[in-house]
Each structure stands twice: as C-alpha cells, then as structure tokens.
Amino acid sequence: TDHMFSWLSTLGGAFSALGDYYEDRAEIAGKISIHQMRLANRLGDPNLIVMCKLFFSISLIQRRKLKLAQFIIRQQYEFAKQNHDTRLWKMCLGIWSKLQYTHMINRKKRRLGNV
C-alpha cells in the first residue's frame, strides 16, 4: 500500500502541475486524490486523509471551484490545529495562499473585462 500511495502521489503531482494550465489535467489530479483518499482510509491514517483532501482542494482551485476549496481547506486547517500537526498546518497555509492568489487574478480579469 505504501508503494501504491507513493505512485499515486507522483502521478497526482504531475497532473496537478499541468492543472495550472489545463483544466482536464486538474480534473484528473482531483480523481487521483480521491483514489489516494480511499487508500488512506484503508490504511486508517487520518493525517494522510487530510493530505489527500488538501491535494483535492488544489484541483478545485485549478478548476475555479473556490468556495468548495475554501471550505475543505478550513476544515483541514482546524484538524491540523487540534492535532498540533505543524506540517499539515503549513500545508493548509500554502494552499490557502494559492486560493487567495487565484481570487486576486480572477478579480483582475473581471476588472479588465469591464474596461
């Protein structure tokens, strides 16, 4: 299972990197995150489950489903705080920054479209 999880992480990371430019790649990355989450559930590791949800939230951001991504990130952030997990907490903050940046870019595009 560890080998399978690592393989899915590598594949998911590759599709996620392309997801910034191609929405269909972001969708595939999201599906891979769901497969990882199922595997993490089987392993019974709550930290891995949180990581998979955060990976999925990146896919949502790339597909401009920002409200859902925001909801997921906040939930995982609360889990990280309650469990004093610095690594997950920092991961949440990094993804939150990506969410904020995406909001800013979308606002600029809307403003330019209205000019």
Side-chain angles (χ1 to χ4, degrees), residues 6 14 16 27-28 35 39-40 44 49 57 61 66 68 82-83 88 94 97-98 102 109 113:
S6 296
S16 182
E27 190 172 335
I28 292 169
H35 287 295
L39 188 55
I49 294 168
S57 74
I61 293 168
L66 304 182
L68 182 54
Q82 289 172 1
N83 291 285
L88 288 177
S97 292
K98 183 175 182 69
T102 303
K109 285 181 181 178

Side-chain angles (χ1 to χ4, degrees), residues 70-81:
Q70 181 178 333
F71 176 77
I72 291 170
I73 297 164
R74 281 187 172 158
Q75 279 186 324
Q76 307 327 302
Y77 178 79
E78 288 303 318
F79 175 90
K81 272 188 2 184

Side-chain angles (χ1 to χ4, degrees), residues 15-56:
F15 276 100
S16 182
L18 292 169
D20 285 334
Y21 307 100
Y22 306 102
E23 191 170 331
D24 63 325
R25 300 325 191 271
E27 190 172 335
I28 292 169
K31 289 177 182 177
I32 292 169
S33 297
I34 291 169
H35 287 295
Q36 284 180 294
M37 198 177 330
R38 287 182 186 140
L39 188 55
N41 274 322
R42 273 193 252 153
L43 293 171
D45 187 333
N47 290 352
L48 273 180
I49 294 168
V50 168
M51 287 175 63
C52 294
K53 288 179 180 181
L54 289 171
F55 296 153
F56 184 69

Side-chain angles (χ1 to χ4, degrees), residues 100-111:
Q100 288 178 316
Y101 176 76
T102 303
H103 272 301
M104 182 189 69
I105 295 298
N106 287 346
R107 273 185 244 122
K108 282 184 179 182
K109 285 181 181 178
R110 280 193 300 266
R111 262 188 263 135

